[in-house]
Amino acid sequence: MDPNTVLFLLITLRSAFPEPIKRKFPENFRFGTATASYQVEGGWNEDGKGENIWDYYTHTYPDRIANQANGDIACNSYHKYLEDIVMLKDLGVHFYRFSLSWSRILPEGHTGKINQAGVDYYKNVIRALKQNGIEPYVTLYHWDLPQPLQEKGGWPNTDLMVDLFADYARLAFSLFGDQVKNWMTFNEAKQTCQLGYGYGVFAPGVQSNGIDSYKCAHTVIKAHAKAYHIYDEEFRASQKGRVSMVVDTDWFEPASDSDRDRKAAERKIQFNFGWYANPIYHPDGNYPQVMIDRVAKRSKKEGFEKSRLPEFTPEEIDYIKGTFDFFSLNTYTANMVKWSDDFPIGYVSYDGDISVVTYQDPSWNSSASSWLKVVPWGTRKLINWVDKTYNHPEIVITENGFSDDGELDDEGRIVYYQEYLSNILEAILEDGVNVTGYTAWSLMDNFEWLGGYTEKFGLYQVDFDDENRTRTPKKSADFYKKVVATRCLVDQCEN
Ligand code: NOJ
């Protein structure tokens, strides 16, 4: 591209947004970056690790992934974690959010067989982080279920999975909890349940939309609550840490000011987010009422004997609600929502249960991921909505980021971070929302699920053609480093 075109593109990119605000993040605000086990580790069958559903899925259905890619080697962090920690140290981040691979620790999924090499790997990672002054933020489940548990039905098998997850969580707390003070049980369980057991496009590829996807969510929510109570009863007094569950959502903006569009947008966020967030984070607990009512009504019309949405007993509602120490929120983009009449009865689905129309405005800037448009103001609205709906919790943004083709001169990512962080800061300083941390997804380019290695989210570039998986800082790494060091989004802040 000739320099004039580059300049023109840069000006257009920047002028699409208002100036970032010139005030500083509060002193106690925490910045971090994140990755997840399957996306970066590799070493898929090394040193006693068991097979998980993503190993199985990518090996069995290679054509479902862009360029038939898989996570067999990924960024090779299983061997190169010390290099990752040098990168984190250079960025100056306060914490690193990563996930444990369940099948690296428990190859068969249950605590009857523990893989010591897997335990040692995570102990080494955690020790090296702490030695470098970086807090480990650990997710127990970032989508990589041990395959033997899938063969027993996986997440829709509530009776089996709640207890097995709780055993795994207890083991993790006891092995690593002296050093790990921030735990996340599940990451974005909606993707596990709706993409994995509803549409069947993610591992394990089960198509049971609006049936098993609801059962999966029911299990996950109960499993989270049980893990939280285990922490509370057996570990909190001695370890003094915090436990949360990561829930994700886009912002949903009504397509017009009409009552119907506003109602449609609210219904969409309740189904998309309230589904997981309400039982845990809402003062009343339980699924959102609109979801309970609509799924019951449609199930009846479809001829089901009872609602496809499982019910919590009053005891379960009480047991689950309040099982969090802070609110973990992942968010990337926004959608517009339009009212629709109820979709016709016939095809049983979660989308039919919601019955709204969503779309993204064609004027919004794009990324390398079809779903990810750049809509920074949506995030400010979302965190205000979360604050109001869930009674002013402490919020940590546990993921936010931008994809491109992997270029080192990644101006699009810099603009994204600058604008999103500016909106988050305005929510803190002007709207009084209690956001205390921010996590850039991702530390480095990695395996982006169905997108394979074609959608790059990293602050560091990884050369996947080089067996050394060489890491190189992008321009955005310098930008983020400066933000972390100065707490300021522009060259000079006012305070
Ligand atoms: C959410 C997921 O937690 C993560 O695994 C994924 O790579 C990013 N979003 C980007 O899609």
Side-chain angles (χ1 to χ4, degrees):
M1 225 183 274
D2 84 89
N4 284 337
T5 323
V6 174
L7 192 64
F8 172 76
L9 284 176
L10 277 183
I11 292 167
T12 331
L13 202 62
R14 289 207 176 270
S15 61
F17 302 106
E19 286 271 291
I21 65 167
K22 297 188 173 61
R23 294 170 64 192
K24 283 192 176 179
F25 278 87
E27 283 281 329
N28 58 355
F29 194 85
R30 290 281 167 266
F31 291 96
T33 69
T35 61
S37 45
Y38 188 77
Q39 297 180 271
V40 300
E41 280 180 8
W44 80 278
N45 60 357
E46 282 185 55
D47 300 340
K49 175 181 165 294
E51 188 183 37
N52 66 44
I53 57 174
W54 276 92
D55 296 320
Y56 182 86
Y57 193 70
T58 53
H59 295 157
T60 313
Y61 310 107
D63 290 336
R64 296 191 189 175
I65 316 290
N67 300 329
Q68 305 195 324
N70 59 46
D72 288 2
I73 304 174
C75 307
N76 201 11
S77 289
Y78 184 59
H79 295 289
K80 294 173 78 82
Y81 67 92
L82 289 174
E83 277 186 41
D84 299 344
I85 294 171
V86 170
M87 281 142 55
L88 291 159
K89 180 87 180 159
D90 191 51
L91 287 171
V93 288
H94 305 105
F95 65 89
Y96 178 42
R97 176 176 173 239
F98 64 98
S99 76
L100 305 181
S101 159
W102 186 338
S103 46
R104 195 178 292 290
I105 298 174
L106 300 174
E108 287 164 20
H110 57 71
T111 45
K113 186 172 169 196
I114 299 177
N115 178 33
Q116 192 54 42
V119 173
D120 292 345
Y121 171 65
Y122 292 114
K123 287 214 162 169
N124 291 339
V125 172
I126 292 164
R127 186 178 316 112
L129 285 169
K130 298 284 283 192
Q131 280 168 351
N132 283 284
I134 302 160
E135 271 303 310
Y137 276 37
V138 176
T139 310
L140 292 173
Y141 186 78
H142 200 121
W143 308 354
D144 44 359
L145 184 70
Q147 179 64 18
L149 302 186
Q150 178 51 33
E151 279 152 25
K152 296 189 172 74
W155 290 111
N157 185 348
T158 309
D159 290 343
L160 178 82
M161 288 302 304
V162 171
D163 290 343
L164 282 175
F165 180 78
D167 291 346
Y168 162 54
R170 177 185 285 108
L171 179 70
F173 297 149
S174 72
L175 288 170
F176 311 118
D178 58 335
Q179 300 297 326
V180 176
K181 303 300 163 195
N182 287 278
W183 292 98
M184 279 134 282
T185 52
F186 290 88
N187 174 69
E188 299 197 358
K190 185 181 62 218
Q191 318 304 344
T192 298
C193 294
Q194 190 54 31
L195 300 181
Y197 296 90
Y199 305 132
V201 293
F202 269 22
V206 174
Q207 289 184 357
S208 180
N209 194 352
I211 302 176
D212 279 341
S213 46
Y214 289 145
K215 283 192 199 149
C216 167
H218 208 65
T219 312
V220 163
I221 293 162
K222 284 184 168 187
H224 158 81
K226 186 155 184 185
Y228 183 91
H229 284 290
I230 287 173
Y231 191 81
D232 231 18
E233 285 152 26
E234 301 172 30
F235 299 96
R236 187 184 295 281
S238 59
Q239 298 187 350
K240 302 189 174 53
R242 313 193 294 169
V243 181
S244 175
M245 174 163 125
V246 177
V247 191
D248 66 294
T249 188
D250 302 347
W251 170 245
F252 294 105
E253 179 74 8
S256 79
D257 238 4
S258 73
D259 275 357
R260 295 211 316 175
D261 285 348
R262 280 198 273 122
K263 222 170 136 189
E266 180 69 16
R267 187 198 299 166
K268 176 71 187 178
I269 200 165
Q270 292 295 349
F271 264 86
N272 194 64
F273 185 68
W275 181 11
Y276 295 88
N278 271 38
I280 296 163
Y281 292 105
H282 196 282
D284 298 338
N286 206 1
Y287 293 122
Q289 197 58 45
V290 63
M291 197 170 174
I292 297 173
D293 294 345
R294 288 189 61 87
V295 182
K297 192 173 95 193
R298 285 182 71 91
S299 302
K300 197 162 173 206
K301 287 191 186 158
E302 289 156 349
F304 287 86
E305 288 203 352
K306 53 180 192 169
S307 177
R308 288 178 277 102
L309 185 70
E311 255 182 59
F312 291 120
T313 64
E315 294 71 38
E316 287 171 341
I317 293 174
D318 280 348
Y319 180 78
I320 296 164
K321 83 176 169 205
T323 52
F324 68 95
D325 300 312
F326 61 99
F327 201 123
S328 306
L329 175 68
N330 286 6
T331 189
Y332 287 81
T333 190
N335 271 270
M336 306 296 292
V337 186
K338 249 177 113 58
W339 171 269
S340 157
D341 290 335
D342 276 1
F343 295 0
I345 297 292
Y347 176 62
V348 173
S349 75
Y350 164 72
D351 307 273
D353 293 337
I354 312 174
S355 291
V356 298
V357 174
T358 61
Y359 62 92
Q360 292 184 306
D361 191 311
S363 72
W364 293 343
N365 282 8
S366 298
S367 69
S369 309
S370 57
W371 53 271
L372 205 183
K373 305 285 180 230
V374 185
V375 200
W377 53 264
T379 287
R380 180 170 178 186
K381 289 198 174 189
L382 173 65
I383 49 189
N384 271 280
W385 184 90
V386 169
D387 176 67
K388 191 168 99 241
T389 310
Y390 300 102
N391 203 13
H392 318 300
E394 176 190 345
I395 301 171
V396 177
I397 308 281
T398 34
E399 271 185 45
N400 180 241
F402 175 82
S403 63
D404 59 18
D405 298 330
E407 54 271 26
L408 291 177
D409 191 356
D410 55 342
E411 196 64 32
R413 178 166 296 102
I414 294 175
V415 172
Y416 182 99
Y417 280 134
Q418 201 171 31
E419 290 298 326
Y420 274 71
L421 280 163
S422 181
N423 275 274
I424 291 165
L425 188 52
E426 283 176 276
I428 298 171
L429 299 179
E430 283 166 29
D431 312 334
V433 178
N434 187 18
V435 184
T436 60
Y438 178 84
T439 318
W441 182 274
S442 176
L443 171 62
M444 61 192 146
D445 296 340
N446 58 51
F447 178 80
E448 178 55 20
W449 311 109
L450 301 185
Y453 298 98
T454 61
E455 299 168 32
K456 308 276 178 49
F457 280 90
L459 293 166
Y460 280 75
Q461 183 188 69
V462 177
D463 184 351
F464 294 100
D465 296 324
D466 170 2
E467 66 172 35
N468 285 325
R469 296 298 191 270
T470 306
R471 285 109 157 103
T472 311
K474 300 182 188 173
K475 216 168 147 191
S476 60
D478 288 339
F479 170 77
Y480 196 54
K481 181 175 170 171
K482 202 172 137 248
V483 171
V484 177
T486 60
R487 303 182 180 282
C488 169
L489 298 169
V490 291
D491 285 341
Q492 190 76 53
C493 268
E494 284 160 359
N495 57 342

